[in-house]
Amino acid sequence: MKTLGTLGEREAIRVIDRIVKSDVPVGIGDDCAAMDIGDKYLLVTTDMMVTKTHIPKGMGPYDIGWSLVAVNLSDIAAMGGRPLGVVTAIGITKGHPIDFLEQMVDGMNDCALRFGTSIVGGDTKEHEDLILCGTAVGEVDKDKILLRKGARPGDLIVVTGCLGRAGSGFFSLKRGLSLKEAEDQLKRPWPRIKEGMVLGSSGCVTSCMDISDGLSASIFELSRNSGLTHEIDYALIPKASEVCLAFQDAERQKDLVLNFGDDFELLFTMKREREADLAALSEQVGCPLTVIGKVTSGEENILIDNGRREKLENLGYEHFRIRKA
Ligand SMILES: [Mg+2]
């Protein structure tokens, strides 16, 4: 019997996509769904957190609440959207202290307010384990929406911020390395709302998504959506300073930067002729924007490492399949 374990999350989503019928402008398969509401699109996204797979030890209730809202807002950011509201559903045991609930909701509330929105509703149920579901709603002008598809050959591949910090935080918590900033990044992700809106308005971005499951998985996702191959240079990728503190071994460092995820940076492609605008855009959002490669029309996605060209492996995090070790 075929199980979800043999399919993996991405294929499972394709199964669902084959069944459901909808004619919205953007449906399953992008960071948010987009619905036509006149001169704008309404954006909707939902994301779950389950104790076993999403909540590393060391994350307190405040962090859990913050994270739930942040990961949902990150999907609104990936579409260039402005958040309008968040609802959260909470499955929780009757044994949880009231304090826990209060701190968790504090985290949700603070994150929503920090990014210009609020918690506008939700649901609470008794459950055998802590399980949370957030839903964020946003809006975007029709001509400013950022999609996973749209890249063209020659476009530059760009990333916000740096990669590997959340992953370093994960291993820091696991092994007691006390990499405080990295642990904070893992516990309280920072959705790139402002960055997404500025990029959407810039008119130079051709495709975009947030890096929730790792850079390699995101590159494959953009590549699948555009039908084009992507080529990235490992040396160009901005790496968090903690990566080399989390691991001495260069291969483990590389794995962390390429495959771990949870950084919630934006990965986008942009018109090559607009490269000179990057510095001004970066200044405007107060966040580094770094070119890490280009869109090509080759046979496969390529990683250039020390001048050597190799096939980029899609080793990002995928539910039902692999577990972060
Ligand atoms: Mg996403």
Side-chain angles (χ1 to χ4, degrees), residues 7-244:
L7 274 189
E9 182 189 7
R10 280 180 270 279
E11 198 50 46
I13 292 170
R14 268 165 229 144
V15 169
I16 296 168
D17 191 27
R18 281 199 290 273
I19 299 168
V20 298
K21 298 279 172 264
S22 129
D23 57 359
V24 293
V26 182
I28 292 175
D30 218 304
D31 290 280
C32 296
M35 282 156 283
D36 198 327
I37 51 163
D39 60 339
K40 287 178 192 287
Y41 287 126
L42 184 73
L43 303 172
V44 182
T45 182
T46 187
D47 217 324
M48 286 177 85
M49 279 175 77
V50 181
T51 309
K52 205 165 93 185
T53 48
H54 286 87
I55 306 179
K57 287 194 176 59
M59 257 177 106
Y62 182 93
D63 306 322
I64 293 169
W66 175 287
S67 262
L68 180 73
V69 172
V71 300
N72 278 284
L73 292 182
S74 180
D75 281 333
I76 299 283
M79 309 286 282
R82 185 171 77 86
L84 295 173
V86 178
V87 292
T88 57
I90 303 169
I92 193 165
T93 73
K94 57 185 168 196
H96 271 86
I98 294 161
D99 260 11
F100 186 98
L101 179 69
E102 281 176 349
Q103 287 175 37
M104 191 169 71
V105 176
D106 266 341
M108 292 176 185
N109 188 52
D110 286 354
C111 181
L113 294 179
R114 173 61 188 77
F115 294 97
T117 187
S118 57
I119 307 294
V120 295
D123 189 23
T124 312
K125 289 272 186 300
E126 184 184 333
H127 191 68
E128 65 210 15
D129 197 2
L130 183 67
I131 177 164
L132 303 163
C133 183
T135 301
V137 178
E139 63 172 11
V140 63
D141 289 344
K142 284 185 174 171
D143 59 342
K144 292 179 182 151
I145 192 168
L146 303 175
L147 301 174
R148 290 185 177 185
K149 66 176 182 193
R152 290 169 311 176
D155 283 354
L156 301 172
I157 304 170
V158 188
V159 69
T160 62
C162 63
L163 297 179
R165 179 161 286 142
S168 303
F170 177 85
F171 289 102
S172 175
L173 281 172
K174 203 173 161 188
R175 307 207 309 256
L177 303 176
S178 304
L179 305 174
K180 176 87 174 53
E181 268 183 49
E183 290 177 7
D184 286 350
Q185 166 95 9
L186 177 78
K187 293 190 226 173
R188 289 189 288 280
W190 197 260
R192 296 292 194 183
I193 290 289
K194 184 172 61 170
E195 291 80 354
M197 289 170 69
V198 168
L199 292 172
S201 298
S202 72
C204 63
V205 174
T206 52
S207 68
C208 182
M209 68 180 292
D210 68 334
I211 307 181
S212 50
D213 300 329
L215 177 63
S216 67
S218 303
I219 289 284
F220 273 82
E221 210 28 50
L222 290 186
S223 168
R224 196 176 61 77
N225 275 278
S226 66
L228 294 165
T229 46
H230 289 49
E231 193 174 297
I232 55 170
D233 188 335
Y234 185 70
L236 298 178
I237 300 172
K239 302 159 193 83
S241 56
E242 292 89 349
V243 169
C244 55

Side-chain angles (χ1 to χ4, degrees), residues 254-271:
K254 193 168 149 187
D255 185 43
L256 200 59
V257 170
L258 293 176
N259 305 320
F260 190 89
D262 285 350
D263 284 311
F264 294 98
E265 296 295 349
L266 297 181
L267 175 71
F268 61 96
T269 57
M270 67 175 285
K271 298 169 185 167

